[in-house]
Amino acid sequence: MSALLIGAGVIAVATITPGPNNLLVMRIAARSGFVSALPAVAAIVAGGLGMWAMVAAGASTAFQTVPHLYALMTLAGGAYLCWMGARLVLETLRPPEKRVPTPTSVRHGSVVALFCFQFVNPKSWVLVLTVTAVVGNGAEPLRTSLVLAAAFTVISALCLALWCAMGVSMMRHLDTTAARNWIDRVMGALLFASALLLVLAPADMPNA
């Protein structure tokens, strides 16, 4: 049980601290509302569970057999974050008559993209591999797996929901076009910074 508690703590710390996933759901919630951001939260959580299932099935050995896989994922994840950051900033620079209207709900393509992003986010892999290594199989592998899956789901969802609530609260006090533009520019810059950190200071891949 102590190993599970440690694993739950690692998940909580990793998902509550600022990162690309948090910034993206906060921006969606700020633009479209808390409920509209829930599909994005679900996509991120589902992606994390998919990664954990792959690790449990033995996919972690791929990082040992293909040495450059981690570097490729880092570049792919960084490129996605750069694209998202550029898209947010450039949209605020367009003339008002040429801007794309803000959707009232998250598009299906965005949800799929967020789900897929989890599989090229090296820090997400580090989290899953670290927690899996810390918890292990336990005396009852099936029970341990179910508890770990529940921890990934509940803790991640709650932490992301908190960031959604922060986004909604923030925009209640900054509900003007100029303020929204500056928020998008800041979000875009932060996504760029996340991409640079991802590429220039990658996390160490733990041995699974």
Side-chain angles (χ1 to χ4, degrees):
M1 182 59 69
S2 59
L4 286 171
L5 289 176
I6 294 174
V10 172
I11 296 171
V13 171
T15 53
I16 197 63
T17 50
N21 289 330
N22 309 85
L23 294 175
L24 290 170
V25 297
M26 183 171 72
R27 192 264 177 182
I28 294 171
R31 280 288 189 173
S32 305
F34 186 92
V35 174
S36 294
L38 293 182
V41 172
I44 294 171
V45 173
L49 283 175
M51 292 169 60
W52 171 79
M54 291 174 64
V55 170
S60 57
T61 57
F63 294 104
Q64 301 171 1
T65 57
V66 185
H68 300 299
L69 181 60
Y70 184 64
L72 290 174
M73 285 196 315
T74 299
L75 292 175
Y80 176 76
L81 294 179
C82 284
W83 175 76
M84 287 294 297
R87 183 181 176 186
L88 286 178
V89 174
L90 292 176
E91 184 64 27
T92 66
L93 300 178
R94 289 184 179 183
E97 64 273 9
K98 293 185 178 181
R99 291 180 187 174
V100 178
T102 302
T104 56
S105 61
V106 181
R107 295 173 181 173
H108 176 73
S110 299
V111 173
V112 174
L114 274 176
F115 174 82
C116 294
F117 171 64
Q118 307 312 307
F119 294 89
V120 293
N121 185 354
K123 290 191 176 181
S124 294
W125 280 106
V126 170
L127 168 62
V128 173
L129 289 171
T130 299
V131 172
T132 303
V134 167
V135 175
N137 293 326
E140 302 177 52
L142 178 59
R143 178 178 176 275
T144 300
S145 297
L146 292 175
V147 172
L148 193 57
F152 270 113
T153 302
V154 175
I155 296 174
S156 297
L158 289 176
C159 292
L160 291 170
L162 178 60
W163 279 84
C164 289
M166 290 169 58
V168 172
S169 176
M170 176 179 62
M171 293 312 295
R172 284 176 180 171
H173 302 285
L174 300 170
D175 193 14
T176 65
T177 301
R180 288 176 180 269
N181 285 341
W182 277 109
I183 289 298
D184 279 355
R185 290 167 189 167
V186 171
M187 291 290 181
L190 289 174
L191 288 175
F192 265 113
S194 298
L196 290 177
L197 289 174
L198 199 66
V199 175
L200 298 179
D204 294 328
M205 181 66 68
N207 295 321

